[in-house]
Amino acid sequence: VHSSAMANPCRKLIFNIYMGFYCSAIMAKICICSQFSTSSIDPFNKDPGAFPVATNGEPFPWNKLRLPRVVIPLHYDLLVHPNLTSLDFVGSEKIEVSVRDATQFIILHSKDLEIMNVILQSEEDLRYRKPGKRLNVLSYPAHQQIALLVPEALMTDLRYSVAIDFQANLANGFQGFYKSTYRTHGGKTRIIAVTDFEPTEARMAFPCFDEPSFKANFSIKIRRESGHVALSNMPKVKTIELEEGLLEDHFETTVKMSTYLVAYIVCDFNSVSGTTSSGVKVSVYASPEKWSQTHYALEASLKLLDFYENYFDINFPLPKLDLIAIPDFDSGAMENWGLVTYKETSLLFDTSTSASDQLWVTKVIAHELAHQWFGNLVTMEWWNDIWLNEGFATYMELVSVNATYPELQYDDVFSDVCFTVIKKDSLNSSRPISNQAETPMQIAEMFDSVSYNKGACILNMLKDFLNEEKFRKGIIHYLKTFSYGNAKNDDLWNSLSNNCLGDFTSGEFCYSDSKTTSNTLAFREESAELKEMMATWTLQKGIPLVVITRKGRSLRLQQERFLSGVSREDPEWRALQERYLWHIPLTYTTSSSNVIHRHVLKSRTDTLELSEKTSWVKFNVDSNGYYIVHYEGHGWDQLITQLNQNHTLLRPKDRVGLIHDAFQLVSAGRLTLDKALDLTRYLQHEASIPALLKGLEYLELFYRMMERRNVSDVTENLKHYILQYFKPVIDRQSWSDKGSVWDRMLRSTILKLACYLNHAPCIQKATELFSQWMESSGKLNIPSDVLEVVYSVGAHTTIGWNYLLEQYGLSMSGAEKKKILYALSTSQHQEKLKKLIELGMEGEVIKTQELSTLLYVIARNPKGQQLAWSFLRENWTHLLKKFDLGSFAMRMIIIGPTSHFSSKEELQE
C-alpha cells in the first residue's frame, strides 16, 4: 500500500506533513488526539478470558482474535456476481482445507456478509459424489468471525471441502468489495465494483481465513454484463455465456498467496498494453475519458518490472500485470498480486503534471511493483512486522527510480523520507517499528510513517553499513529462501548475515570477501551481532541524538534519546531516557580529508582520536544514518564559518542534513533559534537546490507560524528578509516547465512562496496568466510547474474563485483538480471555505475521498484553520460513519487541523 497526501510533492507515506518546531515543542507532552479515544468504540477491547456468545445466544467455540491453526486452507474456488444496478453482490465458494488436529468446528473470518448455506464434504464424499452435510453457522461480529459447527469431528491429516453461499451490499466506503463512480464528459455517472482488502477486509467480500500466513491458491470466476470487463489477479482463460445476457469469466488459478492480495474488478475501462523483456504482459487501465493519461505509467511499469527481475534475480511469477486507476480510493495504491490498484493521481500523467507530480507517480509505481516481491512473494508472518513489506517497498523506490529514471534525481529527495518520520519518532507518542498489533484497528494503525519511512531509512543505513553488494545478496537470499511463504524480522537478519562475513565490531565493515581477516566472526556470532544491532532500531521507539564534544584531536561521543519538545531541564526528561541505547553505525568526515571514517557506537559514551588536526568534523555523512547530531562547544560555529567561507567543502547532502538537524535541535532546546538561523545565512550562495529548498522550508514554516499567532512585527520583518535575501533566486525563475527536475521543483516552490508573500512582480505575472487562461475558456496551456501558483492568485477574486470551482467540476485531469482544490482553499473568505467543506461532505462535485486533503489545505490557510478544527469537532460522529477510524483519510482529517497548533491553548482544546 502507498499512502497519499496532496501536500506531498514526493508518500505516503506515508504523510509528508511538516509540523513546526515550535508546535512540536509545545505538543510533544500530550497526545492531541486523546479526546478521540478509540477505546469506547473498539469492540475488540474485551476480557480475553471471557467465553463469547454468538448472535443467536449460543456459546461461540473460540475466544481469540487470531484464528486457530487447526484447519488450514489450501484452495479457494470463488464465484462472485456483483449487480451494479442494485449495488449488491452474491457469491459462492468452495474452500479445500487440510485438518491438522481433530476438531468439531471451523473458524473463519466474515464481516457484514449474510451466510445463506454451508455444506461440508469429506474426501470420500467428493470421491463418490455424495451430497455432504449442511453445517450450522454461529456468528461473533465482535471478532468478525463465524464458526461452522461439524456434527462429526474432522479427522487429522484429512482434507475436506467447505462450500459457502453468501451475499452482501457493495460497501459504501473504500474497503472490501465496494462501489466507485466516475462522471463522463457528458455528465453521466458510471458505477464500477472494486476490491481493496489490506489489511483485514477480504472478510467483507467472502468468508475466508483472513490472516497473512494462511496462504492458498485461488480460482476466481466473475459474472458480469456484456458492457463491462472483469479483471482479477490472473489472466482470463475463458468466458461462458449464461442466461439473460450474463457472461461468466474464468481466471487462471493464482500462485499461493495471502487473502489480502486477492483482487477483482468489474468496470468499463480501456487499457494500453506492452510486454517486458521476459514476456510479462503489462496493461494500464483507466476510465475511457482518461485513457490518454495511461502511457507514462505503462512506460514506467515496463522499465521497473525489468529492473526488479534483474535486481532480485527472480522473475515476476505471474504471466501478466495490470495497473488500474480507481476513481474512489483511500490510499495511494494497493499491491494486489497481478492487479495493482491506484488512486488516479498516483498513476495518471498529463499536461497538468508538474515535476513533483511525475516523481510521485514514478515512485508510487516503483513502490507497488517492489511489493510484488516484498510482500507478495515473501509476506510478513504477522502484521507486527508490516515494515518488512512497506519499509522495503519504500526503500526500493530509491534503488529502482535511481536506476530507471536517473534524471528524476530521487537520490536527493530520499533524505526527506527520513526527515518526515523523525518529526513523529522524536515524540514520546511514537512506537517501535515492530510493534504488537492484534485488533483490526491496531493493525490499521501500523500503516504509518514508522513502518514506511523509518523502515526504509534503517534499511538504507544498513545498506551503507554492509555495502550495497552484500546487502543486495542478502535480500536475494531472503526472497529465495522464503518464496511463497512468510517471514519475520530475524529471518531477514539471518539472510543478511549469511551473505556478510566480516568483523562488525571493527572499522572493517563487511566491504568485500578480500577484507575478511583471521578474526572474522563465525556465521552464528555475526548473525547475533546483526540481530543485536538491528533490534535496537526495530524493537524500541525513537531516534538517537549523538552529541559530539571536541578537545584538540580527541572526540567525546555521547548518545541519548532525542526528544522534541522535552528539554533536559524538564522533570520527565531523565525518565524518558532510561533503557534507551542504540548500536549506531556512525560515519564522519573532517576538513582535512574526504575519507569517510566509520565507528559503531554501542555504549552511552565513547572516545575517538583524530589522526590529524582539523578545523571541523561532520558526522552522519550524506544523512545515511538515522540519527541527529549535536556539536557541543564551538562545533556549530566551526561548521557555520566553513559554510560562509566555502560551503562546497561540505557535501551537498551534508549541508541539507546540517540545516535539518539544527532546526530539530531548536525544538528540543539544545540549540538557540538564532544559531539555526545563522546557519541559513550562507544560502544566498547555495547552488544545490535541495539545500536551498530545505532552508526555505524552515523560514516559511517560521513565517506561517508567526502569521497564525498574529505576531505582526516579526511577520513583516521576516517577509521582507525572505524577499530581499532570496530576490536573485526569485528573479531568475522563468514561468515555464524548463530545466532539470530540481530546477522545476525550485520554480514551483519559490514562486508559490513569493506570491504568498505578495511579491509584486510575482502577483502581476500570475494575474496576467490567469486572466489569459480565463479568456481562453480554460484552453490556454499554463506551464504545469506554475499552475498551482497561477490558480492560487486567481482564486483571490470572487470571479476567479467561482470560475475555478466550475473548472474543477469539468476537468478530467486529477493533477489539475488537485491544483485547483489547493487554490480554492487559499481564499480569504470563510464562506467560500465553508462551501468547499460542504461540497466535500456531499461527495458530488468534490469526491468524498478528497475531504481529508481538503481539510488539510484549508487548515494551512490562517483564515481556515479554526474553521477546519471546528468542523472536525462538530462532525466527529458523522465523519466516523463516512471513514473507517484507522483509514488514511481519517488520519489526514485529524492531522490537517491540528498539525498547525502552536500554543498551549490550542493543545488544551
Side-chain angles (χ1 to χ4, degrees), residues 311-440:
Y311 186 88
F312 296 134
D313 193 31
I314 300 170
N315 282 341
F316 181 68
L318 309 186
K320 67 91 177 173
L321 173 67
D322 297 333
L323 299 83
I324 182 167
I326 305 299
D328 300 280
F329 206 73
D330 181 31
S331 59
M334 174 59 208
E335 67 268 17
N336 316 299
W337 215 347
L339 178 55
V340 186
T341 45
Y342 292 81
K343 199 169 194 169
E344 288 182 333
T345 50
S346 298
L347 187 69
L348 304 181
F349 185 98
D350 63 14
T351 54
S352 299
T353 305
S354 64
S356 56
D357 293 332
Q358 182 185 359
L359 179 56
W360 171 256
V361 168
T362 310
K363 78 189 200 77
V364 175
I365 294 172
H367 183 103
E368 302 311 321
L369 297 200
H371 271 314
Q372 307 301 301
W373 285 265
F374 279 102
N376 299 9
L377 185 64
V378 179
T379 312
M380 73 279 139
E381 198 169 275
W382 184 249
W383 300 107
N384 62 303
D385 280 333
I386 187 58
W387 83 274
L388 290 174
N389 287 18
E390 300 301 350
F392 254 114
T394 306
Y395 168 73
M396 287 309 301
E397 293 172 19
L398 169 68
V399 177
S400 62
V401 174
N402 275 348
T404 54
Y405 287 91
E407 67 274 16
L408 293 180
Q409 299 175 273
Y410 185 51
D411 189 49
D412 292 324
V413 182
F414 187 76
S415 59
D416 273 334
V417 171
C418 306
F419 296 160
T420 299
V421 70
I422 284 170
K423 288 303 300 177
K424 172 172 182 169
D425 212 21
S426 62
L427 301 175
N428 194 41
S429 56
S430 187
R431 65 165 181 85
I433 285 180
S434 185
N435 199 41
Q436 184 179 0
E438 293 296 328
T439 71

Side-chain angles (χ1 to χ4, degrees), residues 706-759:
M706 294 299 100
E707 182 184 37
R708 268 190 204 88
R709 299 285 291 276
N710 291 317
V711 188
S712 55
D713 54 340
V714 176
T715 306
E716 277 302 304
N717 288 336
L718 190 53
K719 178 172 85 170
H720 291 305
Y721 172 80
I722 293 170
L723 291 176
Q724 181 183 352
Y725 207 66
F726 295 100
K727 186 177 185 297
V729 183
I730 296 169
D731 290 346
R732 279 201 307 270
Q733 302 309 309
S734 64
W735 293 68
S736 69
D737 286 339
K738 295 177 181 176
S740 71
V741 67
W742 279 106
D743 291 331
R744 296 177 65 190
M745 286 201 275
L746 174 64
R747 178 183 302 125
S748 294
T749 304
I750 204 158
L751 289 179
K752 191 172 163 184
L753 177 59
C755 279
Y756 184 76
L757 297 176
N758 288 313
H759 183 51

Side-chain angles (χ1 to χ4, degrees), residues 387 425-428 430-436 450 454-455 458 489 531-545 559-562 576-584 601-602 604 626:
W387 83 274
D425 212 21
S426 62
L427 301 175
N428 194 41
S430 187
R431 65 165 181 85
I433 285 180
S434 185
N435 199 41
Q436 184 179 0
V450 173
K454 185 177 180 180
I458 67 161
N489 261 351
K531 282 182 193 175
E532 186 182 6
M533 169 187 275
M534 296 314 295
T536 69
W537 297 99
T538 59
L539 301 183
Q540 65 180 352
K541 65 183 179 182
I543 178 171
L545 170 66
Q559 66 161 292
E560 61 189 59
R561 182 183 173 196
F562 179 71
L576 292 172
Q577 293 290 335
E578 286 179 6
R579 299 187 304 280
Y580 281 88
L581 185 71
W582 287 266
H583 291 190
I584 311 172
L601 178 62
K602 294 183 176 182
R604 293 206 179 277
Y626 188 73

Side-chain angles (χ1 to χ4, degrees), residues 106-118:
I106 301 171
I107 308 294
L108 298 93
H109 286 112
S110 178
K111 180 184 177 185
D112 299 334
L113 297 173
E114 181 186 347
I115 309 298
M116 296 179 292
N117 194 35
V118 181

Side-chain angles (χ1 to χ4, degrees), residues 455-605:
C457 295
I458 67 161
L459 288 171
N460 186 55
M461 178 172 67
L462 184 58
K463 179 265 299 179
D464 185 61
F465 173 72
L466 299 178
N467 96 20
E468 196 155 354
E469 179 193 355
K470 299 290 185 184
F471 185 78
R472 180 185 172 192
K473 284 182 179 178
I475 62 177
I476 290 172
H477 181 269
Y478 169 80
L479 289 171
K480 290 186 174 181
T481 302
F482 298 99
S483 287
Y484 304 103
N486 299 82
K488 50 188 184 294
N489 261 351
D490 284 355
D491 298 321
L492 176 61
W493 312 142
N494 287 337
S495 292
L496 288 165
S497 301
N498 204 22
N499 283 276
C500 176
L501 297 175
D503 186 351
F504 279 67
T505 57
S506 73
E508 300 293 319
F509 284 167
C510 203
Y511 277 100
S512 66
D513 293 330
S514 62
K515 285 202 172 188
T516 56
T517 60
S518 57
N519 69 346
T520 297
L521 296 169
F523 166 67
R524 286 184 183 177
E525 291 174 341
E526 180 171 357
S527 180
E529 285 267 340
L530 186 59
K531 282 182 193 175
E532 186 182 6
M533 169 187 275
M534 296 314 295
T536 69
W537 297 99
T538 59
L539 301 183
Q540 65 180 352
K541 65 183 179 182
I543 178 171
L545 170 66
V546 178
V547 181
I548 310 296
T549 307
R550 182 175 158 211
K551 289 186 178 178
R553 292 189 185 181
S554 180
L555 296 178
R556 184 177 184 272
L557 316 177
Q558 179 180 335
Q559 66 161 292
E560 61 189 59
R561 182 183 173 196
F562 179 71
L563 289 163
S564 180
V566 184
S567 71
R568 299 174 83 180
E569 291 72 36
D570 289 337
E572 66 265 42
W573 186 86
R574 190 165 298 281
L576 292 172
Q577 293 290 335
E578 286 179 6
R579 299 187 304 280
Y580 281 88
L581 185 71
W582 287 266
H583 291 190
I584 311 172
L586 299 174
T587 56
Y588 63 97
T589 57
T590 70
S591 62
S592 309
S593 161
N594 282 327
V595 173
I596 299 175
H597 303 276
R598 298 174 181 268
H599 177 75
V600 179
L601 178 62
K602 294 183 176 182
S603 53
R604 293 206 179 277
T605 59

Side-chain angles (χ1 to χ4, degrees), residues 651-688:
R651 298 162 180 253
K653 289 183 187 175
D654 282 344
R655 305 198 293 268
V656 175
L658 284 171
I659 295 168
H660 168 266
D661 283 8
F663 281 95
Q664 295 309 307
L665 289 163
V666 171
S667 76
R670 300 299 289 265
L671 199 66
T672 60
L673 180 58
D674 63 332
K675 188 75 73 179
L677 290 170
D678 282 346
L679 184 69
T680 68
R681 292 178 66 84
Y682 90 97
L683 285 172
Q684 61 183 329
H685 307 296
E686 180 61 87
S688 171

